[in-house]
Amino acid sequence: MNTRSVAAQGRGQARRAANSAAVEVGARAGFGARGIIYVLVGALALQIALSGGGKQADRGGAIAEIAEKPFGKVVLWLLGIALVGMALWRLSEALLGSAGTDGGKPSKRAMAAGRFVFYSFVAFSVLSFAAGDSGSGGGSSDQQSQDVTAKALGWPGGQWIVGIGGVAIACAGIWIAVRAIMRKYHKHLKMAEMSQKVRRAVDFAGVFGGAARGAVFATAGGFAVAAAVSHNPDESKGMDDTLRSFTETPVGPWLLVVIALGLVAFGVFSWFNARYRKV
């Protein structure tokens, strides 16, 4: 057996391991956990829109909300472990490529690597909160955003760094929304296994939820650009303040109601991914 065939066999074994049932279960559990977080964030945002107050509408608020419930810490441990599964699945995509004919492209692998880092951080924050570090997962996204922005503005060329970062986040938001509206997620889902009724529900949740999520990202990016231009880190906003800013539009809190319902829809869409995603 020559060296080339041995290497090919090794790659095949690695790919089979990455596509094992354990990785698939982890990915599907991760989508389920993401859905829970987005549904809770949307519900918290809806409370803000309807009452003018309420708890912080971000991941920290969602985690704190879960922790207050009976067996909340147990649920947080399960969510954190599920998010670890999501991170490991993204890592396997980064190393070996994702499902689909173009899953091995360098750009796809780079995006998977970025998602691995993101979900690793989210999993760590949830598990840290479950372990008793209330300042980890439950911290304010607004304060964290302002702290990071203030630090970056203090670097040489900090305004450019923050500004470019803000533009990147805004563009990512637009990209998320456009891809959702164009139903690009179809290629990642087992559409043939869905009934017509389920497919309509998936499309409603996917388009509405993706557009709302994209709008939040785009708006947050805009605030980061404003912080760079004014050299004022207080202009930067996390998810909570970004959502609250929608109540300051001419239509008042009703735009936030739409966005909040959209985030709930994205949570439901994540649950559909847990069932129908090609892994």
Side-chain angles (χ1 to χ4, degrees), residues 15-205:
R15 185 175 292 276
R16 285 193 294 274
N19 292 329
S20 67
V23 172
E24 179 176 352
V25 169
R28 299 194 188 284
F31 278 116
R34 187 182 74 174
I36 291 172
I37 291 173
Y38 267 96
V39 166
L40 286 175
V41 170
L44 292 170
L46 192 59
Q47 290 179 12
I48 292 171
L50 298 178
S51 67
K55 300 176 182 178
Q56 63 188 56
D58 54 18
R59 185 177 65 250
I63 292 172
E65 184 76 8
I66 293 171
E68 293 174 359
K69 305 301 181 187
F71 306 105
K73 289 298 179 70
V74 174
V75 174
L76 287 179
W77 278 109
L78 293 175
L79 285 178
I81 293 170
L83 290 167
V84 169
M86 171 73 89
L88 293 176
W89 172 55
R90 292 302 190 184
L91 177 61
S92 74
E93 287 190 322
L95 295 176
L96 302 168
S98 58
T101 55
D102 61 347
K105 287 184 178 179
S107 59
K108 296 286 187 181
R109 293 192 179 196
M111 289 177 64
R115 287 166 175 158
F116 161 69
V117 173
F118 172 75
Y119 282 110
S120 295
F121 171 76
V122 175
F124 174 78
S125 65
V126 173
L127 290 173
S128 296
F129 193 93
D133 184 3
S134 59
S136 179
S140 168
S141 62
D142 304 316
Q143 189 61 53
Q144 292 169 358
S145 178
Q146 290 169 8
D147 289 345
V148 170
T149 303
K151 186 175 183 179
L153 287 173
W155 297 340
Q159 280 184 282
W160 283 102
I161 294 171
V162 174
I164 292 171
V167 170
I169 294 171
C171 289
I174 294 170
W175 181 77
I176 289 170
V178 169
R179 285 180 62 85
I181 292 169
M182 295 177 66
R183 296 173 171 81
K184 291 290 187 179
Y185 53 81
H186 276 192
K187 66 180 180 180
H188 299 299
L189 300 177
K190 301 174 183 177
M191 302 299 293
E193 295 184 8
M194 301 179 192
S195 66
Q196 196 67 27
K197 184 177 180 180
V198 170
R199 184 174 296 192
R200 285 196 297 267
V202 167
D203 278 339
F204 175 79

